Structure formats: C-alpha cells, structure tokens
Amino acid sequence: MERLRKASHAGSWYTDNPTKLGAELDGWLQATGLAKSPDVRGVIAPHAGYSYSGRCAAYSFANIDPTNITRVFLLGPSHHYYTPKCALSTATAYKTPLGDLPIDLEVIEELQATGKFELMDLQVDEAEHSMEMHLPYLVKVFQGCRVKIVPILVGALNSQIEAMYGKLLAKYVDDPNNFFSVSSDFCHWGSRFNFMHYDRKHGAIHESIEALDKMGMDIIESGDAEAFKKYLSEYENTICGRHPISVFLHVTLYLTLSFCLC
C-alpha cells in the first residue's frame, strides 16, 4: 500500500511553488561554479530554511555526479522525537514540490531485520525537517535518474551506539552506487540554546563562533571519529547533527571517501 510522506515544511521553510523552487535551486547550484565529481560519495549539508541555508547547501550538492548513483542514504537528527536508537521511515515515498522520491523498501527491510532500528510513524516523520530540507536538492541533482532514498532518523546515541550503526552501514558505503547525505547545522549560539561560548582571541562573537565551527569541520574532514568526540566533549558545540555526523565518521573508517562539508 502506498504511504506518502507529505512535504510538510513546503510553503514555510521553502517555497512550495515548483517553478520558483526549481529556479532558486538551479541558480544557487550554478553560482557555486563547482564541477561534478564521481569521487564525492557523501555530503554534510545544512537543514535551516532556504532563506538562511539554501545558498550554502548548494556548495555541497553541486559536487554530486549522479551518473552511477542509484540510492541515497539520508541521515538526519531528531529535533522533536526522543529515541536512543535510529529510526526508519514507514513511508513508501517522500513528496516534494519538484516530484516524489521513492524509498528503497528492500534496504529498509534489511535494516529492520537487524533488530537495531525502530520505526517512526508518519506523524513523527512529517514533523521532522532535517531530512526534508535535503529532498528538493536531491530531486534537482538526480533529475532524470532512477534513484531511491533510505531515510534514517538518528536519535540521541552514545558513542558506542554510534560506532555500532557505523559498522552496520559500512557494507552500503562500500558500494559506489550508494551515496550518503548527512543533515546538520552547526553552532546554535545564545541564551535560547544555553550556549554562549566566546573566545575573545578570535575577535567579535561571530568570529569566535566561526572559529569554533571551523575547528569542528577540520576534524570532521580528517575522518577521525574519536577526535570529533573529544572536540564535542571539550567545547560542547551545539551541532544538532552531531550524532548523524558521528555515525557517518564511523562508516568512513571502512572506506576512504571524498565528501563535501558545507
């Protein structure tokens, strides 16, 4: 039975007008001036509203060469639903204003059979924005290609569980037909987030935030999951996708990947 996840944030976080949305994405992608590369096997891209992060996200997605990719694993943090595990979608397809993305039900069944995942109901799925904000870009980049997605909601994992999921997903990253799209914003600064780290040696507050984020990005690009864990422990940076990123870093231990961090 068909079970569609609606584009619940279209019309608010980004336009629900297909013509306008397509033109925006085309413009942002072209403005990057980046070439497509088959060596890019994963991206870390933001999930804020497109008025804030749309242009930035283009610098990740513009690198993707869709030629041989048939499956995209989506790893996104959970903002509203608590789980100490990862959860799989129960939908059969994700809708977007630019077209639908079918879910790879065979892989969902494989993952469910491990006994390590829970299932999220459609209400939880539609309330979460972290993976949805990647979908229009994926539709645009893979336009004309037969690609399926595997959405995985990543909960509040401890480091041992992050490593376990990384090892479990490693067999998929070894397949060049698979791609990983990891969703994360970086520092959330201010009293609202109970985080006001400020190192004055970097200058103004925004420069301190930039330096803190850049430190984390450099560690992520090194592929060192343990160093990223130590960074988070020391600085407590409010990176909302820290658990999906950590899982992905553990995945990359099993294969040397090229990926774009935006």
Side-chain angles (χ1 to χ4, degrees):
M1 183 180 70
E2 192 175 49
R3 188 173 166 86
L4 300 179
R5 180 202 182 277
K6 66 182 180 182
S8 51
H9 293 76
S12 53
W13 290 55
Y14 58 101
T15 180
D16 57 0
N17 182 303
T19 302
K20 183 178 179 182
L21 179 58
E24 281 183 346
L25 299 184
D26 281 333
W28 292 335
L29 289 166
Q30 291 170 11
T32 67
L34 297 175
K36 299 180 185 299
S37 171
D39 294 329
V40 176
R41 299 281 309 285
V43 297
I44 300 174
H47 54 241
Y50 278 2
S51 61
Y52 302 102
S53 72
R55 292 179 185 276
C56 177
Y59 283 87
S60 287
F61 293 105
N63 283 273
I64 300 173
D65 182 349
T67 307
N68 297 314
I69 298 169
T70 58
R71 184 183 297 114
V72 177
F73 285 79
L74 270 168
L75 304 182
S78 179
H79 288 83
H80 310 291
Y81 173 73
Y82 174 78
T83 174
K85 301 169 70 175
C86 287
L88 303 170
S89 176
T90 56
T92 57
Y94 276 16
K95 296 184 69 64
T96 86
L98 301 179
D100 299 348
L101 284 165
I103 290 178
D104 193 322
L105 300 179
E106 182 178 340
V107 173
I108 293 290
E109 290 177 3
E110 285 180 3
L111 295 176
Q112 188 179 358
T114 66
K116 303 298 185 182
F117 293 83
E118 66 177 76
L119 297 176
M120 57 175 163
D121 62 36
L122 205 55
Q123 186 176 14
V124 170
D125 205 342
E126 290 177 344
E128 181 54 58
H129 65 274
S130 65
M131 292 183 285
E132 180 179 339
M133 300 308 293
H134 285 206
L135 301 179
Y137 264 115
L138 293 175
V139 173
K140 176 60 68 174
V141 169
F142 289 96
Q143 193 169 17
C145 302
R146 298 172 67 88
V147 67
K148 294 182 178 181
I149 61 172
V150 181
I152 301 175
L153 185 71
V154 181
L157 314 183
N158 63 39
S159 56
Q160 290 77 24
I161 300 300
E162 289 169 348
M164 179 272 291
Y165 281 115
K167 186 175 182 179
L168 190 152
L169 293 171
K171 75 170 189 176
Y172 298 103
V173 81
D174 196 43
D175 183 345
N177 296 132
N178 291 333
F179 190 87
F180 280 73
S181 188
V182 181
S183 180
S184 182
D185 293 329
F186 275 70
C187 182
H188 295 58
W189 196 94
S191 57
R192 173 186 172 192
F193 304 103
N194 196 30
F195 185 76
M196 299 180 72
H197 172 88
Y198 180 24
D199 188 341
R200 286 174 170 78
K201 75 181 181 184
H202 295 293
I205 291 174
H206 73 275
E207 292 171 315
S208 173
I209 294 170
E210 182 180 0
L212 182 64
D213 276 349
K214 184 64 166 56
M215 187 191 311
M217 291 176 183
D218 288 343
I219 293 170
I220 293 167
E221 289 179 348
S222 77
D224 191 333
E226 187 61 29
F228 186 56
K229 174 186 172 183
K230 291 178 179 177
Y231 162 82
L232 292 173
S233 177
E234 180 176 354
Y235 294 98
E236 300 182 335
N237 193 359
T238 49
I239 300 173
C240 57
R242 58 193 176 276
H243 298 302
I245 292 171
S246 294
V247 169
F248 184 58
L249 290 178
H250 283 288
V251 168
T252 64
L253 292 176
Y254 300 91
L255 182 70
T256 300
L257 293 177
S258 293
F259 66 94
C260 179
L261 172 66
C262 187

